[in-house]
């Protein structure tokens, strides 16, 4: 089996699709797809990208598929401090500041804090210094007994919500780092709830304040690094919280 064929088969398994399902979506014969997976046929660059698109493979892994097939990557991957990303990061910084006085953080694919607005100190004040040493993982910070967890009044509910989000992200990306993070976080105390809560959103009840969150991502990224960034903003869920934040 070829390297690219093995990777495609793995992604097809992750998406729980049969060869017939995927071939129908991609507009190729199931026989040809079978030949690609077993290495009897070498896929073209366009074929790899078409299959990756139908499998909803992240940009980083699309590049890996292309390399395994003997082709150059289709998507750039710049470091966060590289000049090509400077204007975009400046814009994201303005978005963070625009959320003030509500807390907001910019995170990467592993939930590492890239940037944050000044209001985030409402959450981080009182956390163990070791958890605030870069690189700061915001999920670890939230659920660690020395982090936010002791002041989260609905810890079991919020913990369940975060772990389910992490499960979905790990399944979507097949990222072993996220799976290891899930194992670590599941070992922290705090409990989980069996069923989802009633209501329109899962609230974060923190230190007498009530928040709901929104997640923002770039709509048309062509760079791997940018495609993996997200802004998590915490908005007041009631008038008392808005007043306490100064909004």
């Amino acid at each position: 089996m070829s390297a690219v064929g093995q990777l495609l088969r793995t992604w097809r398994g992750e998406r729980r699709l049969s060869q017939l399902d995927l071939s129908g979506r991609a507009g190729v014969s199931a026989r040809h797809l079978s030949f690609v997976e077993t290495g009897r046929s070498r896929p073209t660059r366009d074929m790899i990208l078409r299959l990756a698109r139908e499998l909803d493979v992240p940009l980083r892994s699309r590049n890996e598929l292309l390399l395994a097939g003997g082709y150059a990557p289709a998507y750039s991957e710049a470091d966060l401090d590289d000049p090509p990303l400077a204007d975009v990061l400046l814009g994201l910084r303005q978005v963070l500041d625009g959320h003030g006085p509500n807390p907001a953080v910019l995170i990467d694919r592993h939930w590492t804090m890239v940037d944050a607005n000044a209001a985030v100190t409402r959450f981080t004040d009182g956390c163990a210094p070791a958890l605030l040493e870069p690189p700061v993982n915001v999920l670890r910070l939230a659920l660690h007994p020395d982090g936010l967890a002791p002041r989260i009044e609905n810890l079991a509910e919020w913990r369940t919500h975060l772990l389910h989000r992490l499960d979905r992200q790990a399944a979507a990306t097949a990222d072993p780092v996220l799976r290891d993070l899930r194992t670590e976080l599941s070992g922290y105390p705090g409990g989980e709830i069996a069923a989802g809560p009633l209501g329109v959103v899962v609230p974060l009840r923190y230190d007498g304040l009530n928040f709901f969150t929104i997640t923002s991502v770039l709509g048309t990224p062509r760079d791997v690094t940018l495609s993996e960034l997200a802004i998590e903003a915490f908005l007041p869920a009631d008038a008392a919280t808005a007043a306490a934040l100064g909004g």
Side-chain angles (χ1 to χ4, degrees):
M1 182 175 293
S2 68
V4 66
Q6 177 64 60
L7 285 174
L8 286 168
R9 182 176 182 179
T10 298
W11 276 108
R12 183 171 59 78
E14 290 283 347
R15 300 299 185 249
R16 294 180 171 84
L17 293 175
S18 67
Q19 286 183 344
L20 186 61
D21 292 332
L22 180 56
S23 64
R25 292 186 182 189
V28 300
S29 71
R31 183 171 183 267
H32 182 56
L33 178 58
S34 176
F35 281 8
V36 167
E37 289 190 357
T38 58
R40 294 178 64 184
S41 178
R42 181 174 184 260
T44 65
R45 176 186 177 86
D46 287 344
M47 173 67 71
I48 292 173
L49 288 174
R50 188 192 314 172
L51 293 172
R53 183 173 61 252
E54 295 303 326
L55 289 167
D56 195 23
V57 175
L59 299 191
R60 178 180 298 277
S61 295
R62 294 186 194 191
N63 279 347
E64 293 172 355
L65 283 167
L66 287 168
L67 287 169
Y71 302 104
Y75 305 95
S76 63
E77 183 180 353
D79 290 332
L80 287 171
D81 55 359
D82 285 350
L85 303 191
D87 289 341
V88 178
L89 290 176
L90 178 60
L92 293 175
R93 155 49 65 178
Q94 293 172 343
V95 173
L96 289 173
D97 290 341
H99 276 292
N102 307 313
V105 296
L106 178 65
I107 58 173
D108 68 9
R109 74 187 192 278
H110 294 146
W111 291 81
T112 302
M113 185 187 298
V114 175
D115 202 351
N117 65 13
V120 166
T121 57
R122 181 174 289 274
F123 289 148
T124 57
D125 284 348
C127 294
L131 293 173
L132 300 175
E133 287 289 332
V136 176
N137 184 280
V138 298
L139 292 185
R140 182 179 295 116
L141 180 65
L143 299 181
H144 195 284
D146 296 328
L148 278 65
R151 287 171 286 174
I152 297 178
E153 295 156 9
N154 61 328
L155 179 57
E157 181 181 42
W158 187 247
R159 184 173 183 272
T160 300
H161 165 67
L162 292 184
L163 293 179
H164 284 180
R165 279 192 64 182
L166 186 55
D167 285 338
R168 291 194 299 271
Q169 185 182 353
T173 61
D175 190 328
V177 174
L178 293 178
R179 289 169 175 164
D180 289 345
L181 179 61
R182 175 57 163 89
T183 299
E184 175 192 339
L185 298 182
S186 65
Y188 295 164
E192 294 185 52
I193 58 175
L198 298 176
V200 293
V201 295
V202 178
L204 170 61
R205 308 192 191 283
Y206 182 79
D207 206 18
L209 303 177
N210 297 318
F211 299 91
F212 69 91
T213 62
I214 60 172
T215 302
S216 304
V217 297
L218 290 170
T220 55
R222 295 286 298 175
D223 180 89
V224 172
T225 303
L226 291 179
S227 74
E228 296 169 341
L229 296 180
I231 288 178
E232 294 282 328
F234 297 80
L235 305 181
D238 54 42
T241 299
L245 293 172

